[in-house]
Every structure is written in structure tokens, then in C-alpha cells.
Amino acid sequence: MKILLINPSLLQATTGQYEEELEKERGVYPPLGLAYIAAVLEKAGHQVKIIDCDVEDNYEEKILSLTKEWQPQIVGFYAMTWSFRLAKNIADKIKLINPKIITVLGGPNVTSMSKLSLELGNFDFGVISEGELTIVELIDKLEGKNNLELEQIKGITFKKNGQIIITPPRPLIDNLDILPFPARHLLPMEKYFDVFSRQKHFATIIATRGCPFNCTFCDRKNRMGKLWRVRSPKNIADEIAEIQAKYGINEFMFFDDNLIVDKNWAYELFDRLKKLNIIWECRERVDLVNEEVLQKMKDAGCYRIRFGFEAGDNNVLKTIKKGITVEQSLACAKACKKVGIEIYGYYMIGAPGETKETIEKTIQLALRVEPSFAIFSKTILIPGTEIFEYAVSTNQISPTYWQDFLSG
């Protein structure tokens, strides 16, 4: 089959929160989720193209033109909640070109709001949570290559006789090494950059999936599960070596939530990274590092770590179930400075129980940490999170808030 995959513009959906010049320069990351889907589809023998709207001028015109000329049988979308309406609008126009084109929605929005996504959008199917195995099985069904009923395909939602069916969840992929590397050859790799990166071009990479922690403001465990799953260090190193050879890229960002849940695994990974002569950064929790770990990371090429310090008040940290203390944040910062690793700090304002005094404590924490970069964000009640349910139960937000947003 011919399959077109589309990444609706997250930059356009969120534009306006920064000054115009920064909007242009803050950077854009490749859509690795779609690239993984493309890779498994190519492996299954399908023809695949990707349009990443974040890096394309006149992307809507290009999508519609390609739809008319190439005539894909399936068009798939990856959509977060804030980019759902863009996906919906493009799907509407694709259906006008050819109503027989099968539209499939994947990503966080359909995972957290499965029924609503199909009610509001012109999508025939939704793929819930991890999509690599599900999408191949679904397309095999559509091509008549298996005898499954749609109801037997786990992890999808679809329309049938005016009703929206949601099938049982698919077990998460245990052995991540079975997945092919993301299909970066379908992306304009030269267009991706980060305002904070040291080299002009860099690549993102995902080494693990899942998060075993319980932060109330995060929906990651709903999408990727609480079980922390890893790729083998060799598999990761092989992917990096391939990127170096194909694109001449030597700077990487690990997009994982946590890289050091298992120190033995992490140390083996660091040993392999050291041999590749790269520089890299990652995201990590303050309570998972110490001077020894940080030194091994530095020796392997790590120059910056992004930490979610979140708040400068222990009661607020306890309320959001971050599982850390202010004291641990300060100890982490001290160790990073001693080893010589840059700190990129995330801080959030507006958690339950927040006051002017606790906000001031967060500001003071940032001043004491002295990060190279600091991001202060408003608390967002992401659909499907514990903090959203709390806000609804305490009548601080309408239960239809996100439905209203998606419908707007």
C-alpha cells in the first residue's frame, strides 16, 4: 500500500507564546514517533512518505498536491491535543479529494481521548498507545492478509454502524530491539536543529520507553506504561553509528524521560557512547544521579542534563508526587557543577496548593541552582492526568474542557 504519514505543525499550534524572533530560532525536532511507524511499514513492504509540517513551507498545499498525484490509500496522522484541530482540518480536505482514503490517527490525543477523537475528527481509525505492531496488523487486515475481525485487533478505535468501538489495549513491546531504526531517510534531516545545541545539526534518539514514577501532571505512563523498558546498549550504539555515517551528525539528544533507572544498563551504554566520540544531552531526575554517575556521563560525552526541578517547596513537590525534595535538587546541582555538566532546569508554576510564597521559593531555588538555561511553565492540566481529574473533582475546571478545546 501507499501510505502518507503527516506530522501536523506543533509549532503553528503553539505559536505566539514566544517573541517572533525566538519562534524562528528555537528549533524543531524530528517526529521520531512517525519515523518509527514509517520504518515498520517499510519493513512490511509498504511504500511510505512523511510530510513534517513543522519544517515545510506551504505544507497544506504540499499535502493536498501529493494526495492527488501519489494517491495514497492510507493517510496517517500523529497528533497531540494542541495539534488535533490541525490534523482534523487536513483530514477533512483529504477526504474531499478522495473519500475512499483511509485516515488513521495516532499519538497522545487519541490515546487519552479515544472516543472523542473519532467523534470530532474525520478519522476512520485510531491507534492507541504504542503503534508499531498495531498499525502493521491493522493494515494486514485491511489488505485481507489476516482473518482477524477489527474487534480482535488490540489497541485500536474505529467506527462501526454509527458506534465507536474501542478494543482492549495491546501489551506494550517488551523487546524494543525488534523495532527497526526510525526511517530518518524519509525526513529532511538537515532542517532539524535546537537553539540550545552546540553543533548546527543534531539528532534525537530514544533509548527507553515507559516511566515508573508517579508525577500527577504527566500523562507519559498512560501512553507508554509504567514499566521502564530498554533497548540494548549495542542496539542504541549501532543506531548512533548509522546516523554518524549517513548524516555526519555527532551531537545527540536522548529524548527519554529517564536514562538511569538501571545503573548497570546505563553504565554499559555510557561505555559504548564513549567509543563513538559524540557529545550528547539527556533528561533526568535529580534523585537518580550522583557525582559518580555524572562523571561517567561526562566521560561518555554528556555536556548537559535537563532536570525537572519543578518547585522550590517540598509540600508542592509532595502534592504533585514528584518524589524528590528541594534538598535533593540542590545536591544534584552541586554535583553537576563539580563534574562540569551544564544544567537545564524546568520549573512549573500553578500546582495545587501554590501560593505567592511557594512561587517565590521556586524562583529562589532557580537562583540557587544557577542553571545555564531555565524554563518556567504554567501548570497544564493535560487530559488523562491525575492533576486534571483532581481539578475536575474539585470543580476548578469543567469536565468538558478538552472537548470544548478540540471542538473549537
Side-chain angles (χ1 to χ4, degrees):
M1 276 194 171
K2 292 182 178 180
I3 303 170
L4 173 61
L5 301 177
I6 298 173
N7 182 41
S9 176
L10 183 61
L11 290 182
Q12 180 176 324
T14 59
T15 194
Q17 61 179 324
Y18 301 107
E19 295 293 332
E20 182 177 352
E21 193 61 29
L22 184 55
E23 289 284 0
K24 297 177 182 177
E25 300 297 333
R26 60 183 168 131
V28 58
Y29 301 161
L32 280 190
L34 273 189
Y36 266 111
I37 296 297
V40 297
L41 290 174
E42 284 193 326
K43 186 176 180 181
H46 301 289
Q47 299 179 58
V48 186
K49 294 181 184 291
I50 299 176
I51 294 183
D52 181 3
C53 300
D54 274 339
V55 293
E56 295 288 349
D57 296 325
N58 303 315
Y59 61 79
E60 185 175 300
E61 180 181 323
K62 291 181 179 179
I63 290 170
L64 300 182
S65 176
L66 182 61
T67 300
K68 293 174 184 176
E69 294 171 8
W70 194 52
Q71 298 181 359
Q73 290 105 327
I74 295 176
V75 177
F77 299 83
Y78 173 91
M80 302 179 74
T81 298
W82 8 100
S83 59
F84 172 82
R85 285 183 291 184
L86 293 174
K88 174 184 178 298
N89 292 339
I90 295 171
D92 287 341
K93 293 176 181 179
I94 286 173
K95 285 289 192 179
L96 287 175
I97 293 174
N98 182 358
K100 293 183 179 179
I101 291 176
I102 297 169
T103 51
V104 182
L105 180 66
N109 194 76
V110 71
T111 296
S112 61
M113 295 182 284
S114 305
K115 186 171 185 289
L116 193 60
S117 295
L118 262 64
E119 284 178 343
L120 298 177
N122 206 343
F123 304 105
D124 298 302
F125 296 95
V127 173
I128 299 168
S129 190
E130 280 183 329
E132 289 91 351
L133 302 184
T134 306
I135 190 64
V136 172
E137 192 170 274
L138 173 61
I139 294 177
D140 280 350
K141 162 63 182 175
L142 297 176
E143 287 189 306
K145 292 181 178 179
N146 63 44
N147 296 320
L148 295 174
E149 298 294 330
L150 286 174
E151 289 84 352
Q152 294 176 289
I153 300 176
K154 294 181 178 179
I156 66 170
T157 179
F158 61 96
K159 301 169 185 174
K160 182 177 182 180
N161 300 325
Q163 300 293 318
I164 293 176
I165 309 297
I166 302 174
T167 66
R170 179 178 295 272
L172 296 170
I173 301 169
D174 182 51
N175 179 12
L176 297 177
D177 283 5
I178 68 172
L179 297 175
F181 298 154
R184 292 182 174 88
H185 61 281
L186 299 179
L187 296 169
M189 289 295 292
E190 72 282 356
K191 294 184 178 181
Y192 298 108
F193 70 101
D194 183 2
V195 68
F196 297 109
S197 63
R198 291 187 172 180
Q199 299 179 6
K200 183 176 181 181
H201 296 298
F202 79 114
T204 53
I205 191 164
I206 298 173
T208 69
R209 293 185 181 184
C211 181
F213 300 98
N214 298 302
C215 304
T216 64
F217 54 86
C218 181
D219 70 333
R220 196 62 58 96
K221 60 180 177 290
N222 300 335
R223 295 187 276 127
M224 290 294 177
K226 284 183 65 66
L227 180 65
W228 190 69
R229 295 160 290 140
V230 301
R231 297 166 56 189
S232 69
K234 180 184 184 303
N235 185 259
I236 297 163
D238 287 347
E239 181 180 352
I240 291 173
E242 180 181 284
I243 295 168
Q244 287 178 300
K246 284 187 176 181
Y247 306 105
I249 290 174
N250 291 297
E251 179 171 354
F252 294 83
M253 175 190 287
F254 283 95
F255 230 52
D256 310 74
D257 293 303
N258 308 289
L259 205 59
I260 317 174
V261 175
D262 181 333
K263 285 185 180 178
N264 291 330
W265 174 88
Y267 285 175
E268 184 182 345
L269 174 62
F270 299 157
D271 286 343
R272 289 184 179 272
L273 296 182
K274 189 174 182 178
K275 298 174 184 177
L276 292 168
N277 194 29
I278 61 173
I279 60 173
W280 53 278
E281 65 173 307
C282 65
R283 296 183 284 194
E284 194 48 78
R285 287 175 57 93
V286 303
D287 57 339
L288 294 183
V289 299
N290 54 35
E291 190 175 327
E292 176 191 323
V293 173
L294 292 168
Q295 189 61 59
K296 286 186 178 292
M297 297 174 76
K298 176 76 178 295
D299 293 343
C302 178
Y303 71 91
R304 181 191 299 136
I305 302 178
R306 304 189 180 204
F307 291 105
F309 297 107
E310 317 304 4
D313 181 89
N314 282 331
N315 288 326
V316 172
L317 290 169
K318 186 176 181 180
T319 296
I320 62 176
K321 299 183 181 179
K322 182 67 181 180
I324 63 172
T325 65
V326 172
E327 292 73 24
Q328 286 175 314
S329 292
L330 293 171
C332 167
K334 182 179 179 180
C336 285
K337 292 180 186 302
K338 184 175 181 180
V339 170
I341 290 180
E342 285 184 12
I343 298 171
Y344 185 125
Y346 293 107
Y347 304 87
M348 58 188 289
I349 305 296
E354 191 86 271
T355 65
K356 289 183 179 180
E357 289 74 21
T358 59
I359 292 173
E360 180 61 32
K361 285 184 178 181
T362 298
I363 295 170
Q364 291 303 317
L365 173 63
L367 292 172
R368 294 176 69 184
V369 167
E370 294 185 305
S372 298
F373 309 99
I375 298 292
F376 289 82
S377 302
K378 296 180 291 185
T379 298
I380 298 176
L381 307 179
I382 297 174
T385 60
E386 184 177 337
I387 199 171
F388 175 78
E389 299 302 330
Y390 167 80
V392 170
S393 68
T394 53
N395 297 315
Q396 296 183 60
I397 194 171
S398 166
T400 63
Y401 178 86
W402 288 113
Q403 179 177 343
D404 298 339
F405 175 85
L406 297 178
S407 303

